[in-house]
Amino acid sequence: YENWQLAHTSNVGGVPGQGLGDVLVRGSGTVSSRTFRARQLNTWADCQILSSVSRFEVVSASVASSSGELGIFTVLGVASIQSMSVASGGMYITSALDINSLVLTSGYVKVDQGLRVAQDFEWTAGTLKGVGLIEAIGTIRLLGTSMTVDTVDLLLNRGMVVTGDGGSLTFSNGARLTTKATARCVFEVNSFSIGGTGAWINQGQIDFGVPLYTGTDTISVSLNARWGGTVNVVSGTVAINRDSSISATVHVTDQATLSLRQDSTFTPAAEVRGEGTVEYVGQYVLGVVSAQVFDVATFRVKSNAEVTLTSFGTMIFQNIEVVSSARCNIEAFSLVTDRFLVESSSYAKVTVGNNFTA
């Protein structure tokens, strides 16, 4: 039916002894009753839970059609969904809502205030959008190739696991990603893109790449990276393509590369170690390195980049390379390197207060 309305208290009866029953919505309609309780609410069309509903309780809800939207417009009272699945169409929530689990395989979830997902959150495709905050108490699993966060902020308490190799997560219209100190973000892929117009504020742990992988695939970060906590570059190349400020403890493993391709700063709180490579790349790319510890196998400045390294301690590198019309200014109390290469097209200046060993 089209334009149906439930205007009275509605407890959908099920099989005796097995609790509430199911509601299947095939045509557009509204719920305006003070109470609505059901086991399942599955919609293939627009279904609006109006503001007059003071008690809305559903064990499981799903949207399965591109023409369908489940709109929850409750203002006061109780709104409860244990699990939510959006395979097409969308879900629109105007008041703060807590759910246990969310599966988003296509379509969208839109919020006006906030949404908290307490446990499982699986995301294959589709968009999180709106204003306010979407908070994942549990871990988000990114399984697909195209996911978007539009305007709304995304807060991760336990982190995320990325398994969609070659996929992308895009933040648009100022949307931000915040990973708390309790969060761990694991990229179990060698190729992925996380970018857009927003920022990534990290206080937890980020692990990029797959252990023992020796290829050259790239994980691209095109957000404003404001990283504290811990950052591990496990394999391949992690390319930061937006301005960044890094105060984290960073470890770059053997044969892995952290590539900074826009203006980037390592603050005095940063510690950078490992057997891999840190490089600044690109014309007009400016770098300021004042990390309290900087000890990696190779430090490279190339392709017209300009970098200043400042340290009141000891900098240790196996290789320093200033190539392809790059410029590098090093001011350190002590500098130790096995090899210092400056091409004729490039420029390097070294000021050492105590010891220079090469």
Side-chain angles (χ1 to χ4, degrees), residues 260-263 280-287 304-307:
L260 304 154
R261 302 178 181 182
Q262 287 293 334
D263 296 355
Y280 279 84
V281 182
Q283 190 171 13
Y284 308 121
V285 172
L286 301 177
N304 298 97
E306 298 186 15
V307 177

Side-chain angles (χ1 to χ4, degrees), residues 36-41 56-61 80-83:
F36 180 90
R37 300 173 68 238
R39 184 177 62 180
Q40 292 189 27
L41 174 59
F56 174 73
E57 296 179 355
V58 174
V59 176
S60 175
S80 172
I81 300 176
Q82 291 188 27
S83 65

Side-chain angles (χ1 to χ4, degrees), residues 143-207:
L143 310 175
T145 57
S146 181
M147 294 146 284
T148 301
V149 182
D150 184 359
T151 310
V152 71
D153 289 343
L154 181 60
L155 174 63
L156 307 185
N157 284 270
R158 290 187 59 187
M160 64 183 177
V161 176
V162 180
T163 58
D165 203 13
S168 65
L169 175 60
T170 303
F171 289 77
S172 60
N173 295 316
R176 293 186 304 176
L177 171 63
T178 300
T179 46
K180 296 179 69 173
T182 52
R184 183 185 179 203
C185 299
V186 181
F187 288 74
E188 296 179 348
V189 295
N190 300 309
S191 177
F192 195 83
S193 175
I194 178 168
T197 59
W200 183 354
I201 302 166
N202 177 64
Q203 300 164 343
Q205 178 175 328
I206 309 172
D207 296 334

